[in-house]
Amino acid sequence: MFKRHPENISDLLNVVLRNQGLETPLMQRRLVNSWNEVISEKFDNEIAQLIIESTESKEIRNQTLWVKILSPAIRQELQMRTSDLVATLNNKVGSQIITSIRFF
C-alpha cells in the first residue's frame, strides 16, 4: 500500500539533516553568513560598511562566535553591543546557536 499522507519536503529535509548530525553545522554556517546583513540592519550605512570592511574572519567554537576585527575602535564599539548582536544573529537563523561573541 502507498502512503496517502504527503509530507512537506522541508520537514523531511530537516529530519534527515537532524538524523545525519548536519543540522547544527548548517545553522552555524547560516549564522556566520548573516553577519553582514545583521550589521547593516543594526548600524548606519557608513558605520556598517566600516565594520564589514574591518571584519576579517568569523567562526563558531563552543557556542561562541569569534570575529576578527582589524580596527580597535570598531572592536570596542561592537563589544558594547554584544548582547544585542547575539540575540539578533540567533533570531536571524531561528535557533540559539551562539551564547556569546568574542572580538579579537
Side-chain angles (χ1 to χ4, degrees):
M1 290 266 165
F2 290 106
K3 187 175 181 180
R4 299 279 184 206
H5 304 288
E7 295 184 37
N8 190 343
I9 189 77
S10 65
D11 294 338
L12 291 173
L13 184 57
N14 287 335
V15 169
V16 170
L17 288 172
R18 189 174 301 116
N19 290 341
Q20 296 296 318
L22 299 173
E23 183 178 39
T24 299
L26 178 63
M27 297 297 265
Q28 289 175 342
R29 177 57 37 205
R30 286 180 181 165
L31 187 135
V32 168
N33 289 342
S34 68
W35 173 260
N36 291 352
E37 185 179 343
V38 167
I39 293 299
S40 296
E41 291 173 6
K42 292 289 179 186
F43 295 91
D44 294 332
N45 289 338
E46 295 171 5
I47 296 171
Q49 191 61 35
L50 287 172
I51 294 170
I52 291 168
E53 289 173 1
S54 72
T55 301
E56 188 170 274
S57 64
K58 306 169 289 278
E59 67 178 69
I60 297 176
R61 286 181 279 158
N62 299 326
Q63 292 188 319
T64 300
L65 176 62
W66 292 82
V67 183
K68 184 172 185 180
I69 303 291
L70 300 176
S71 168
I74 292 174
R75 189 178 317 122
Q76 182 66 31
E77 177 66 27
L78 291 171
Q79 285 174 342
M80 291 188 291
R81 297 182 182 213
T82 299
S83 61
D84 184 38
L85 290 171
V86 167
T88 304
L89 286 163
N90 283 329
N91 286 338
K92 188 63 93 177
V93 296
S95 182
Q96 184 169 350
I97 301 300
I98 60 171
T99 56
S100 64
I101 301 175
R102 298 290 301 249
F103 300 102
F104 64 103

